[in-house]
Amino acid sequence: MEHLWAPWRLKYVTGAGGISEGCIFCAGTDPSRDDLVLVRASVSYVILNLYPYNNGHLMVVPKRHVAALAGTTADEQAELMRLTRHAEIALTEAYAPQGINIGINLGRPAGAGVLDHLHVHLVPRWNGDTNFMTVVGNVRVLPEELSATAAKLRPIFERLDRDNV
Ligand SMILES: [Zn+2]
């Protein structure tokens, strides 16, 4: 389980600019990340992890550069939870996982790689995926392209929003 919360792998958005210089989650608000972004809501967004732990690994992120839940507004809290709920529903529908990890890492000892921009991870889980990980160490071979993941999940998020689920 050590590798599960390893968002230091998320050093993938570079030079995209943003609200706080060098912050990958501020950079995620840039239209150049549209290939990875599944949903842009009013104060937050949903983005795929470029180096997913499992197929469907995504993150729900406030647009504002805020470090912890303590600093969020009521609007942000409501939308983050709404999108997290939609993400749970979308992942369940698209991948039928046997479990889902939903979590926030605050601070380096807790596993956070991006220390000052809050983000909620959702990682679909299947029986045996940790055993596989133990065998292969840090190397993860994922059968699905991110573009395919995005194509699968985007319409579900759109439908959930449209139907006000
Ligand atoms: Zn930021």
Side-chain angles (χ1 to χ4, degrees):
M1 297 298 287
E2 182 185 355
H3 296 280
L4 178 55
W5 306 117
W8 39 262
R9 291 194 196 124
L10 303 179
K11 296 172 182 169
Y12 61 86
V13 181
T14 56
I19 298 164
S20 177
E21 193 181 344
C23 173
I24 64 163
F25 291 116
C26 286
T29 64
D30 189 282
S32 69
R33 301 319 306 171
D34 276 355
D35 54 338
L36 294 175
V37 171
L38 301 176
V39 179
R40 290 190 193 284
S42 57
V43 293
S44 56
Y45 67 96
V46 181
I47 188 168
L48 291 176
N49 187 334
L50 187 60
Y51 300 104
Y53 172 77
N54 261 345
N55 288 329
H57 182 175
L58 53 79
M59 294 165 292
V60 183
V61 189
K63 291 178 180 175
R64 204 162 57 87
H65 190 77
V66 58
L69 289 170
T72 56
T73 66
D75 283 349
E76 286 166 337
Q77 292 154 32
E79 195 175 270
L80 287 169
M81 185 50 70
R82 181 170 189 265
L83 289 178
T84 300
R85 180 171 171 272
H86 283 185
E88 176 201 300
I89 295 169
L91 290 172
T92 300
E93 183 174 323
Y95 292 97
Q98 293 164 315
I100 302 176
N101 284 109
I102 302 176
I104 301 171
N105 302 325
L106 296 182
R108 201 175 293 285
V114 177
L115 294 173
D116 50 3
H117 196 138
L118 181 71
H119 51 287
V120 183
H121 288 269
L122 287 96
V123 182
R125 303 302 302 269
W126 287 268
N127 291 327
D129 59 8
T130 52
N131 295 337
F132 174 75
M133 182 172 62
T134 302
V135 171
V136 299
N138 282 322
V139 179
R140 300 290 296 168
V141 180
L142 295 156
E144 185 173 76
E145 296 286 340
L146 290 176
S147 57
T149 305
K152 207 177 278 184
L153 292 172
R154 271 195 198 104
I156 303 175
F157 276 104
E158 285 165 12
R159 191 192 72 228
L160 293 171
D161 184 58
R162 190 177 60 240
D163 296 347
N164 204 22
V165 170

